[in-house]
Amino acid sequence: MNITVTPDVFKLAQVFTISRGSRTEAKVLTVRVERDGVTGWGECVPYARYNETLDSVTGEIEGLPADFTRAELQSLLPAGAARNAVDCALWDLEAKQAGKRVWELAGLEAPGPEITAYTLSLDTPEKMQKQAAENAFRPLLKIKLGTPDDMPRLEAVRAGAPDAKIIIDANEGWSAEVYAELAPHLVRLGVELVEQPLTAGEDAALIGMERPVPVCADESCHDRESLPKLKGKYDVVNIKLDKTGGLTEALKLRDQALAEGYQVMVGCMVGSSLAMAPATLVAQGAAVTDLDGPLLLAEDREEPLTFDAEGVHPPVAALWG
């Protein structure tokens, strides 16, 4: 088995800002796994929040043994970006070798389109209202917030898109006091979900706190081992393949989270259609789908995912799976 890792850069359509900083491009790693003349591929986005860099993730992948199965991979690498890209590449390889689609191999029903959120970058209230107005036709908008002065931004977005459903991602940017103060206004403005209002290390403050709007664990939830720590704090878990370490664990996390009474959101880092493709399988029937990464890019892979009024569609075989 031969594994190659290639860094790739995709320009963004516009500057993308969250509470932790801004970017103008998506830096990803493309992994190809070749066996017996057949090649499968996958993509990951190393994330500084989890102490990942392009070099560190490349090193993890290049340190793998010469040959292993997808099942063995789960114990060879921890949950994270490196395992994600290799895991998804192996799923693609297995599908090509079997002449089947990945969902057939996984015993899943054939997937269909899912309405996806579209993310508005953190900015001034005036600019966020403009972003909202330009995207008011979309059924679901996600607002990046996470500062002590977010109320004017939220009011501005609602004014710009009065009919759209809205979810919020605070990216660990609020204190318990700020969240408690904002909560009634979230209800007033029709917000349907709040992602990670508090830092992962301080989210115990959510226990016993009123949650008039469902609260979703993002940075606090990586894989199935995260679930016991979420009790009493969260109503929803955000499943991202770069956190779970691939499709294999993501499907298991989805099933266990649902069994334990959580709703499921399926999210993404800012990457290409190749990164989103496996996640479309996890997103089937999810309470919230947030796979808009390719919509934020100025350029994408060949044979990209289709986005239309029905949402994000599963990948064609020429892209992945």
Side-chain angles (χ1 to χ4, degrees), residues 106-298:
L108 305 173
E109 293 185 7
E114 292 283 338
I115 293 295
T116 181
Y118 179 81
T119 305
L120 305 183
S121 181
L122 178 66
D123 212 320
T124 64
E126 296 75 19
K127 290 183 178 178
M128 291 188 76
Q129 182 168 344
K130 183 173 183 291
Q131 287 184 66
E134 290 171 349
N135 292 280
F137 67 94
R138 302 183 189 274
L140 179 60
L141 297 179
K142 174 173 169 175
I143 314 171
K144 287 290 189 180
L145 297 177
T147 78
D149 305 310
D150 281 336
M151 200 61 231
R153 294 184 172 94
L154 182 54
E155 297 272 14
V157 169
R158 178 47 86 199
D163 298 323
K165 292 182 178 180
I166 290 177
I167 59 177
I168 287 174
D169 186 0
N171 280 118
E172 303 180 282
W174 291 341
S175 65
E177 292 74 23
V178 168
Y179 169 63
E181 181 180 331
L182 287 177
H185 298 288
L186 304 182
V187 176
R188 175 176 61 84
L189 293 168
V191 173
E192 302 203 351
L193 179 83
V194 179
E195 276 187 80
Q196 201 70 42
L198 311 183
T199 60
E202 298 176 2
D203 61 359
L206 291 170
I207 297 176
M209 186 179 292
E210 282 192 41
R211 299 198 295 272
V213 173
V215 178
C216 178
D218 183 0
E219 285 84 353
S220 290
C221 181
H222 291 249
D223 55 12
R224 284 173 292 167
E225 292 184 4
S226 303
L227 290 177
K229 302 174 185 177
L230 307 182
K231 294 289 186 182
K233 305 176 187 176
Y234 297 98
D235 311 290
V236 187
V237 297
N238 189 346
I239 299 174
K240 294 179 179 175
L241 271 65
D242 276 314
K243 293 188 302 176
T244 66
L247 177 61
T248 301
E249 175 64 19
L251 291 171
K252 293 177 180 178
L253 172 58
R254 180 188 67 178
D255 291 347
Q256 186 168 329
L258 290 171
E260 293 188 15
Y262 295 100
Q263 290 185 299
V264 165
M265 175 179 182
V266 177
C268 65
M269 308 302 185
V270 183
S272 80
S273 284
L274 178 58
M276 308 301 124
T280 63
L281 306 189
V282 189
Q284 297 301 298
V288 179
T289 296
D290 179 25
L291 298 178
D292 64 341
L295 296 177
L296 306 177
L297 303 180

